[in-house]
Amino acid sequence: MYEKLRLICFFDLPSDTPEEKKAYRTFRKKLIELGFVMQQYSVYVRTLPNRSQLSKYEEQLKRVTPKNGLVELIYVSEKQFNDRRFLIGEKSVQEVAIGNNKMVII
């Protein structure tokens, strides 16, 4: 049985020089081209049909990872992803989307 997974990409890329800024934009553009969606700043998520797809995305991201950057990939089951908790401070956020058509109203 194949289980859907979420591939989460965390990255910390320097953006001080024009070259670093260009490398950052190239990396972020590649994430979006590969179907990743921004979860938070520097945290992007993509659904995978199964574990065997992981290496495909890892290789493509490796090609555009800046030499001074740090990129981390982790995959979790759909259930683990949907069981995450949101801790929201003093922001005036009214609603937060979670999971499949679930909504938390704050």
Side-chain angles (χ1 to χ4, degrees):
M1 180 173 123
Y2 292 107
E3 179 183 354
K4 280 188 186 177
L5 301 166
R6 293 286 180 126
L7 177 57
I8 305 170
C9 177
F10 306 89
F11 59 92
D12 187 12
L13 306 178
S15 58
D16 297 323
T17 68
E19 295 81 18
E20 290 173 340
K21 288 177 184 176
K22 182 179 180 187
Y24 171 87
R25 287 190 306 270
T26 300
F27 182 80
R28 188 176 171 278
K29 183 178 176 183
K30 187 63 171 181
L31 279 172
I32 293 167
E33 286 175 8
L34 291 173
F36 284 81
V37 177
M38 186 171 77
Q39 188 74 35
Q40 295 182 17
Y41 295 117
S42 300
V43 179
Y44 282 68
V45 179
R46 187 190 195 295
T47 303
L48 298 179
N50 54 53
R51 201 173 289 221
S52 65
Q53 294 287 310
L54 178 64
S55 60
K56 169 186 168 183
Y57 292 97
E58 181 179 352
E59 286 302 316
Q60 292 188 45
L61 291 175
K62 198 182 291 187
R63 289 186 209 129
V64 293
T65 297
K67 60 183 170 189
N68 295 333
L70 172 64
V71 176
E72 297 178 59
L73 297 176
I74 186 172
Y75 59 90
V76 296
S77 71
E78 193 69 17
K79 179 170 179 10
Q80 289 170 318
F81 186 80
N82 288 331
D83 285 346
R84 68 195 189 281
R85 301 288 184 256
F86 293 90
L87 306 177
I88 300 173
E90 303 260 337
K91 287 187 176 183
S92 61
V93 175
Q94 294 301 314
E95 50 188 44
V96 178
I98 60 170
N100 300 329
N101 301 324
K102 297 180 203 169
M103 188 73 71
V104 174
I105 307 297
I106 300 170

